Amino acid sequence: MIDFHSFEQKLEANLDWHGARIKFLARFLVALITTRTVNLAQIACVFAGDAQPASNYERCRRFLKDFALPYGELARFIVAVLGIKTGWTLALDRTNWKLGQAELNFLVLAIVHQGTAYPVVWFLLDKAGNSNTDERILLLELFLGLFEKEQIATLVADREFVGKAWLAWLTKEELPFQMRVKESFQVTYRGRTGALREWFRHATPARPLVLSRPCQMWGAAYYLSGCRLPSGEYLLLVSPTYAPNALTNYAERWGIETLFAALKTRGFHFEDTHVTHEDRLQKLFALLALAFAWCHQVGLWLKAQQPLKKKRHGRLPQSHFRRGLDCLRRLFTQGTHRDPLFWQQVLHLLPDT
């Protein structure tokens, strides 16, 4: 049997929740990792305890329906699991899918770490398609209400997250960023006006161009850098200050795509949920975020114990997240590592405060 008492103590050290909620969270996380699905019917079948699956299902449903989940407290817990206190690269993106006629569209801000990203703040958009400036500002304001601006090294985002008002707000708030922009955007540089691509035709990924002076774009001064990719497409970035490492920073944006894959088809199959209610979906995302963070930390710990050999294509046979997920699943089901010392070691990866 899993030592749920020690797990609950670890959760209580980080979350000021009622004891019954802590007990539920511990059992839900174990069931979620075991089943690799957010389908509540399947989770209910492996829920620890003597209750019947129907009772467990109702317990899950009541938690999502009735509990006023303190998202800020959980965000701080996830960042504590990450264990990095400053120098954060934030990635902004969204993940979406359809459930019947319902459009499920999450806007997410995450901290990039070790090739993936830890989700910190998010909310469900009430529409399909891209977010607007007000929604992005709200997400950043939620983040800045929990953490200090000085902890941020930069914010990265793809081409859909640009706009005059949005970039102006980021600049006014003195938030560093590297945003990808379209090659057709009109700028003025050294007295000449034209499409962005005109200055980057001969820049390559090996020798990117970083313009030494600011350009005028949307009536404001920004610094630009980028290159032309072998496909002929352009990778062009806008920053509020001179940023010689902009392309290196922007490359970390892929971490949030890795996160979304882990939450969905390569991990917990979030798209299999039958939940469509906005508040309940956001709570479910919160539970996934915490489970993901723990699994990834277990994977990093296993890497330190026994690094995996890269394959010929240069990639690992398993991601750190997947290795940690599989390790915990074996622990919870097969007893492969079910000795007290091993359990305490993986539990120790969660912070004490």
Side-chain angles (χ1 to χ4, degrees), residues 10-265:
K10 183 70 72 166
L11 295 175
E12 285 176 341
N14 292 275
L15 300 169
D16 186 21
W17 294 10
H18 186 275
R21 299 300 189 189
I22 291 291
K23 288 183 178 181
F24 170 85
L25 178 61
R27 285 153 180 78
F28 187 94
L29 290 174
V30 169
L32 173 64
I33 291 169
T34 300
T35 59
R36 280 189 58 203
T37 180
V38 295
N39 186 294
L40 298 183
Q42 294 191 43
I43 286 175
C45 289
V46 300
F47 223 72
D50 298 327
Q52 294 295 311
S55 298
N56 292 330
Y57 180 87
E58 185 61 23
R59 190 177 177 186
C60 294
R61 194 192 66 80
R62 285 199 307 269
F63 179 90
L64 296 178
K65 177 177 179 290
D66 299 331
F67 182 44
L69 196 152
Y71 289 99
E73 192 177 28
L74 192 67
R76 292 190 181 97
F77 186 13
I78 291 169
V79 170
V81 174
L82 169 66
I84 307 297
K85 296 184 177 180
T86 191
W88 299 333
T89 294
L90 301 183
L92 173 65
D93 207 345
R94 61 186 181 89
T95 183
N96 63 289
W97 68 97
K98 290 191 71 169
L99 179 60
Q101 297 301 312
E103 294 279 356
L104 307 184
N105 192 9
F106 276 90
L107 185 64
V108 181
L109 188 67
I111 300 174
V112 179
H113 178 60
Q114 291 282 347
T116 187
Y118 286 49
V120 181
V121 291
W122 57 84
F123 55 75
L124 192 65
L125 298 172
D126 60 355
K127 61 187 179 183
N130 194 12
S131 59
N132 59 40
T133 297
D134 290 341
E135 290 161 341
R136 297 168 202 162
I137 290 175
L138 174 58
L139 196 71
L140 264 294
E141 287 177 339
L142 290 172
F143 182 89
L144 294 173
L146 298 169
F147 306 102
E148 300 297 326
K149 186 186 303 184
E150 291 72 24
Q151 293 174 279
I152 304 171
T154 192
L155 168 68
V156 294
D158 205 1
R159 283 171 292 196
E160 72 173 62
F161 298 98
V162 294
K164 180 178 180 180
W166 167 236
L167 295 189
W169 182 84
L170 290 173
T171 303
K172 177 177 69 70
E173 295 296 321
E174 298 181 334
L175 290 170
F177 60 84
Q178 275 90 48
M179 301 283 179
R180 190 174 180 182
V181 292
K182 295 179 180 179
E183 64 191 62
S184 58
F185 278 9
Q186 296 291 305
V187 301
T188 300
Y189 183 63
R190 290 187 170 183
R192 183 164 67 90
T193 300
L196 263 178
R197 58 177 168 267
E198 294 184 16
W199 283 272
F200 295 90
R201 293 187 189 278
H202 302 294
T204 66
R207 299 186 65 181
L209 174 63
V210 182
L211 299 184
S212 58
R213 298 182 184 180
C215 298
Q216 287 294 316
M217 187 175 76
W218 288 324
Y222 295 106
Y223 286 82
L224 292 158
S225 56
C227 63
R228 189 176 186 180
L229 301 174
S231 64
E233 189 179 10
Y234 287 83
L235 175 56
L236 306 176
L237 303 175
V238 59
S239 307
T241 58
Y242 179 70
N245 297 320
L247 267 71
T248 301
N249 294 336
Y250 180 78
E252 294 195 60
R253 192 199 72 82
W254 189 252
I256 198 168
E257 301 287 357
T258 304
L259 163 69
F260 291 155
L263 296 183
K264 296 164 79 173
T265 54

